[in-house]
Amino acid sequence: MQELTHYLNGAHVKGSSGRFADVMNPATGEVQAKVPLASGEELDKAVEYAQAAQPAWAATNPQRRARVLMKFVDLLNRDMDKLAEALSREHGKTLPDAAGDVQRGLEVVEYCIGAPQLLKGEYTDSAGPGIDMYSMRQPLGVTAGITPFNFPAMIPMWMFAPAIACGNAFILKPSERDPSVPLMLAELLEEAGLPKGILQVVNGDKEAVDAILHHDVIQSIGFVGSTPIAEYIYATGCANGKRVQCFGGAKNHMIIMPDADMDQAADALVGAGYGAAGERCMAISVAVPVGDETADRLIEKLVPRIENLKIGPYTAGNDVDYGPVVTAAAKANIERLVQTGIDQGAELVVDGRNFKLQGYEDGYFVGAHLFDRATKDMDIYKQEIFGPVLTCVRAQSYEEALGLAMDHEYGNGTAIFTRDGDAARDFANRINIGMVGINVPIPVPLAYHTFGGWKKSVFGDLNQHGPDAFKFYTRTKTVTARWPSGIKEGGEFSIPVME
């Protein structure tokens, strides 16, 4: 049985708490490793190392910090296959999807190589007689991130790359379900030249999370996960005086207008709804066709595509469409919600309840499901299922479809499929959701824009990656400097004003 470690001050360190969690192989249901769950004392030690290392790193000029990230990008490309395989083994997603997980994180690292430009302040010459003013962005100090199981490479890099580029040290608490890739990333960063102690990986559960939330030295916290935990982390972190950004749940609607290319829309829905077994916060989980004729045509296109999906372990080849969900508990929750959909009157058009994969009966595979004629009062509509379940809610007009997405408590992502530019522009302008796709099913912005939802999908006022990341991981200091040309006698007791 492999025993994983923490990564502290440049070394793999065995856990000392005596508590461990099982790391499962979701394809087989077997335990493949044990990961230590840190105590508060272990978290304190990681912070101690980070605090000692951070001042020298902050004093390193941004160009030299960027060079470390340049080398890190080279190493990520070198080890892409190795990282993807480790990710698939613990998470269950297919190898191409796992490589995409790494690639999307790598692209944020590439953006952060521009830190010398992004960290430039502002300057005003002669703001007053002999007075100049300038601002500078300075690092926060020791920062932290708590990341989810569904993107064990991408989301850690979304957090630690800009934090490190800005001159901070970073404590990463990854998901205990798939912790190997974060440990590998820490190794690669130090191979790239990152000083020891700047990136620490502390594995753990709620005890480690609470230690982060209450630690006086930690200045900021990033989180991605469920909305209830996001609310808890945001409230607790803010109450302790930290800068906090938390990203929570989602229920992403895709509106299909009568003029849409129905083959394109069906292909987009299948990929966005069932890719990664639906375990994406940007997955499309609700299809909203406008008009019964549109809905009937859409369902007709969807059914054969869904029924022909290839489900299997990542080892079965790159033509596998999706693999298992991450845990037995996740599988049970999906199956429970499917049953509530049936009980509450939705029409189960594609029934994946009896799916079994020969040779992998103990794995966490879930068949593909398609519901039609669901309504907004049903649990399958209101709750985030996080599984391979697509729910069709029919709307009789564009305004009704728009209202469904706008009235839902979550506001992460949405999409509209149409040939009508006016409808697309109206949708983009009016919708109260943070990321919008127009004939794009998963509108995740590229690294140089920012990622973030609205409503109960986000807590905090700055998004992830892009320019917002450099604002989140720095403080602005403004300096007013006066260099008088001669000596003046006496003091001035009135507030200075412009003359």
Side-chain angles (χ1 to χ4, degrees):
M1 178 63 62
Q2 182 186 12
E3 183 179 318
L4 299 174
T5 64
H6 308 298
Y7 196 82
L8 307 179
N9 206 34
H12 287 277
V13 177
K14 285 190 173 186
S16 61
S17 70
R19 298 189 307 120
F20 293 87
D22 291 335
V23 179
M24 309 302 293
N25 180 336
T28 65
E30 298 172 333
V31 178
Q32 58 183 333
K34 289 188 176 295
V35 61
L37 302 176
S39 63
E41 290 76 15
E42 287 171 296
L43 188 279
D44 289 345
K45 180 58 69 174
V47 174
E48 181 183 322
Y49 290 137
Q51 188 178 23
Q54 189 270 333
W57 178 243
T60 302
N61 71 56
Q63 189 172 356
R64 291 185 181 276
R65 297 200 299 259
R67 287 173 184 166
V68 172
L69 296 180
M70 288 183 200
K71 179 63 175 176
F72 182 48
V73 168
D74 289 341
L75 298 176
L76 288 170
N77 282 307
R78 182 196 72 187
D79 288 0
M80 181 68 73
D81 291 345
K82 182 179 175 182
L83 289 161
E85 199 281 331
L87 197 159
S88 293
R89 188 174 62 248
E90 292 182 351
H91 178 279
K93 65 176 68 176
T94 65
L95 282 171
D97 198 24
D101 188 329
V102 179
Q103 180 65 33
R104 271 300 188 127
L106 182 156
E107 290 167 3
V108 169
V109 181
E110 289 177 326
Y111 175 77
C112 293
I113 291 169
Q117 165 68 21
L118 294 161
L119 290 170
K120 286 184 354 183
E122 297 175 329
Y123 188 91
T124 300
D125 174 64
S126 299
I131 296 175
D132 302 324
M133 298 183 70
Y134 61 94
S135 64
M136 43 186 166
R137 292 196 172 279
Q138 295 190 320
L140 303 178
V142 178
T143 59
I146 302 160
T147 58
F149 75 87
N150 58 328
F151 286 97
M154 181 183 79
I155 294 177
M157 284 192 271
W158 281 11
M159 292 184 188
F160 70 61
I164 287 169
C166 290
N168 300 287
F170 194 88
I171 310 291
L172 173 61
K173 206 300 286 180
S175 171
E176 62 273 27
R177 295 171 188 170
D178 44 13
S180 290
V181 167
L183 292 167
M184 295 166 71
L185 295 176
E187 291 176 337
L188 291 180
L189 256 175
E190 290 198 14
E191 185 180 345
L194 188 71
K196 297 180 189 304
I198 296 302
L199 177 62
Q200 318 272 354
V201 181
V202 179
N203 290 300
D205 55 5
K206 187 175 185 297
E207 184 173 340
V209 169
D210 285 339
I212 289 170
L213 289 170
H214 293 282
H215 203 292
D216 291 341
V217 171
I218 293 174
Q219 299 298 303
S220 75
I221 300 170
F223 171 81
V224 176
S226 70
T227 286
I229 298 176
E231 288 183 294
Y232 168 73
I233 289 175
Y234 186 73
T236 308
C238 290
N240 287 324
K242 304 184 189 309
R243 184 176 293 182
V244 188
Q245 58 175 184
C246 291
F247 299 85
K251 198 71 177 180
N252 304 320
H253 297 62
M254 181 172 131
I255 294 173
I256 303 95
M257 298 295 288
D259 68 335
D261 181 321
M262 213 53 62
D263 285 306
Q264 182 191 48
D267 286 339
L269 273 170
V270 170
Y274 299 96
E279 292 179 320
R280 294 172 176 158
C281 68
M282 289 296 285
I284 294 293
S285 54
V286 181
V288 187
V290 176
D292 285 329
E293 182 185 353
T294 306
D296 291 342
R297 288 190 292 135
L298 179 66
I299 294 295
E300 183 182 357
K301 297 285 188 181
L302 285 173
V303 169
R305 286 168 166 82
I306 296 168
E307 290 179 339
N308 289 323
L309 288 171
K310 183 177 179 181
I311 305 168
Y314 76 91
T315 51
N318 289 348
D319 62 338
V320 171
D321 292 306
Y322 73 83
V325 296
V326 71
T327 62
K331 179 181 178 181
N333 186 58
I334 295 164
E335 292 170 342
R336 177 187 65 80
L337 282 165
V338 167
Q339 188 59 48
T340 68
I342 296 168
D343 294 342
Q344 292 172 3
E347 181 184 338
L348 187 57
V349 179
V350 178
D351 185 350
R353 287 176 295 172
N354 295 322
F355 177 81
K356 296 291 182 185
L357 188 62
Q358 187 175 359
Y360 294 88
E361 290 81 3
D362 294 329
Y364 312 136
F365 292 94
V366 179
H369 296 76
L370 172 64
F371 280 103
D372 191 13
R373 301 183 187 276
T375 57
K376 62 183 182 181
D377 59 331
M378 294 179 180
D379 289 345
I380 56 170
Y381 176 75
K382 293 187 292 185
Q383 296 183 30
E384 184 176 33
I385 300 175
F386 228 57
V389 182
L390 180 62
T391 301
C392 181
V393 180
R394 297 180 176 218
Q396 296 309 309
S397 68
Y398 167 72
E399 289 295 334
E400 182 185 350
L402 184 71
L404 283 168
M406 293 189 72
D407 291 344
H408 203 284
E409 66 176 338
Y410 294 129
N412 214 39
T414 189
I416 186 170
F417 272 61
T418 182
R419 292 185 174 98
D420 186 340
D422 180 60
R425 291 184 76 251
D426 181 79
F427 182 77
N429 285 325
R430 289 172 61 190
I431 196 72
N432 58 350
I433 289 170
M435 291 170 284
V436 180
I438 298 172
N439 299 316
V440 174
I442 306 179
V444 177
L446 294 175
Y448 42 87
H449 287 268
T450 67
F451 176 104
W454 289 14
K455 298 186 281 188
K456 283 200 171 183
S457 292
V458 66
F459 302 88
D461 58 355
L462 289 171
N463 288 342
Q464 294 189 97
H465 66 66
D468 273 17
F470 281 78
K471 296 176 184 176
F472 183 77
Y473 287 111
T474 58
R475 293 187 180 94
T476 300
K477 180 183 288 182
T478 305
V479 179
T480 302
R482 179 173 182 238
W483 300 99
S485 57
I487 299 173
K488 292 184 71 175
E489 295 182 357
E492 292 187 14
F493 297 95
S494 299
I495 187 169
V497 297
M498 293 297 300
E499 296 180 359

